[in-house]
């Protein structure tokens, strides 16, 4: 049984919003708000060769919020080596008012946000992208390279609808053949005058 799940082409240039869920924390107690150089902000995945818009957001945290997210980062993003600290309970400021013994993971905070947008043209990109790593090669459909980078498969387009069937008449009178030759026009048989017979007046079509 064929699979009736199809992928449709993009109406405009194909694009996708990709979020970064890694925590990147920095304590400025030694810089005192000074300019930071060579600080890692994000890791952009190389899905295709098309350019993209990168939006970087910086949140200002309180000391308590920084300590919570720093501990959360250590427990979720560490490699698990021997030098890593053992995991401990995360004590946030979110609690269950109906059951104070229930452990709730979370921290509620509000902060100022600084936003910077950067146009990544990928003109200096080299090597094979994830979208072009299909051994069979990607199809010529719009956005096929990005589609494979996100889904690890080629898009499956919907099959085209078959054309209108052609009407063919066998052993039909000549008048019917003329009618089938012009199906888009309206046809009307004119009435015969008094005294005319079929031998003197042929049917006329408009």
């Amino acid at each position: 049984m064929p699979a009736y799940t199809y992928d449709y082409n993009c109406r405009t240039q194909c694009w996708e919003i990709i979020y970064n869920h890694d925590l990147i924390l920095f304590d400025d107690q030694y810089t005192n708000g000074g300019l930071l150089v060579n600080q890692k902000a994000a890791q952009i995945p190389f899905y295709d060769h098309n350019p993209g818009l990168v939006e970087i957001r910086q949140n200002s945290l309180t000391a308590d919020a920084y300590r919570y997210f720093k501990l959360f980062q250590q427990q979720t993003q560490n490699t698990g080596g021997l030098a890593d600290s053992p995991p401990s309970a995360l004590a946030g400021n979110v609690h269950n008012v109906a059951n104070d013994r229930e452990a709730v993971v979370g921290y509620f905070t509000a902060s100022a946000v600084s936003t910077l947008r950067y146009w990544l043209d990928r003109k200096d990109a080299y090597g094979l992208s994830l979208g072009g790593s299909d051994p069979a090669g990607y199809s010529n459909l719009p956005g096929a390279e990005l589609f494979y980078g996100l889904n690890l498969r080629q898009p499956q387009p919907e099959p085209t609808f078959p054309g209108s069937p052609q009407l063919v008449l066998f052993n039909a009178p000549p008048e019917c053949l003329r009618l089938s030759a012009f199906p888009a026009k309206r046809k009307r048989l004119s009435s015969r005058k008094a005294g005319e017979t079929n031998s003197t007046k042929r049917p006329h079509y408009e």
Side-chain angles (χ1 to χ4, degrees):
M1 179 179 295
Y4 293 100
T5 301
Y6 304 111
D7 306 302
Y8 295 91
N9 297 336
C10 302
R11 295 183 178 180
T12 58
Q13 187 174 2
C14 297
W15 56 274
E16 179 66 25
I17 300 178
I18 303 174
Y19 295 96
N20 182 18
H21 300 285
D22 294 336
L23 292 177
I24 301 176
L25 301 175
F26 181 78
D27 187 358
D28 65 344
Q29 61 178 337
Y30 299 111
T31 60
N32 195 20
L35 179 64
L36 300 180
V37 182
N38 297 328
Q39 174 68 24
K40 179 182 176 181
Q43 184 173 352
I44 310 300
F46 186 27
Y47 287 149
D48 65 344
H49 289 81
N50 292 322
L53 180 63
V54 180
E55 183 177 275
I56 302 174
R57 296 181 180 180
Q58 180 179 351
N59 297 58
S60 59
L61 301 176
T62 62
D64 293 337
Y66 172 80
R67 284 190 293 268
Y68 175 84
F69 285 108
K70 187 65 176 179
L71 183 60
F72 185 81
Q73 178 191 39
Q74 293 175 355
Q75 295 187 9
T76 57
Q77 297 177 194
N78 283 355
T79 59
L82 296 177
D84 294 339
S85 58
S88 59
L90 293 176
N93 60 357
V94 180
H95 308 280
N96 185 359
V97 296
N99 184 7
D100 56 355
R101 296 183 178 181
E102 181 181 1
V104 180
V105 178
Y107 196 94
F108 179 81
T109 183
S111 66
V113 180
S114 299
T115 303
L116 173 66
R117 292 185 176 182
Y118 177 77
W119 180 251
L120 186 65
D121 54 15
R122 298 188 189 275
K123 292 182 179 180
D124 58 346
Y126 61 92
L128 186 66
S129 66
L130 180 59
S133 61
D134 187 4
Y138 55 88
S139 62
N140 295 325
L141 294 176
E145 186 180 9
L146 177 61
F147 186 91
Y148 184 83
L150 297 175
N151 302 279
L152 297 181
R153 67 175 179 86
Q154 292 296 327
Q156 182 178 356
E158 185 179 18
T160 57
F161 189 77
S164 302
Q166 299 294 328
L167 179 62
V168 180
L169 301 177
F170 298 97
N171 299 327
E175 291 79 6
C176 295
L177 295 178
R178 287 196 295 269
L179 284 173
S180 62
F182 303 96
K185 296 183 179 180
R186 299 182 62 185
K187 305 169 182 61
R188 179 170 52 88
L189 179 64
S190 61
S191 59
R192 294 194 300 270
K193 296 181 180 180
E196 291 181 342
T197 61
N198 291 336
S199 60
T200 59
K201 182 67 175 180
R202 298 185 61 186
H204 175 69
Y205 298 92
E206 295 180 355

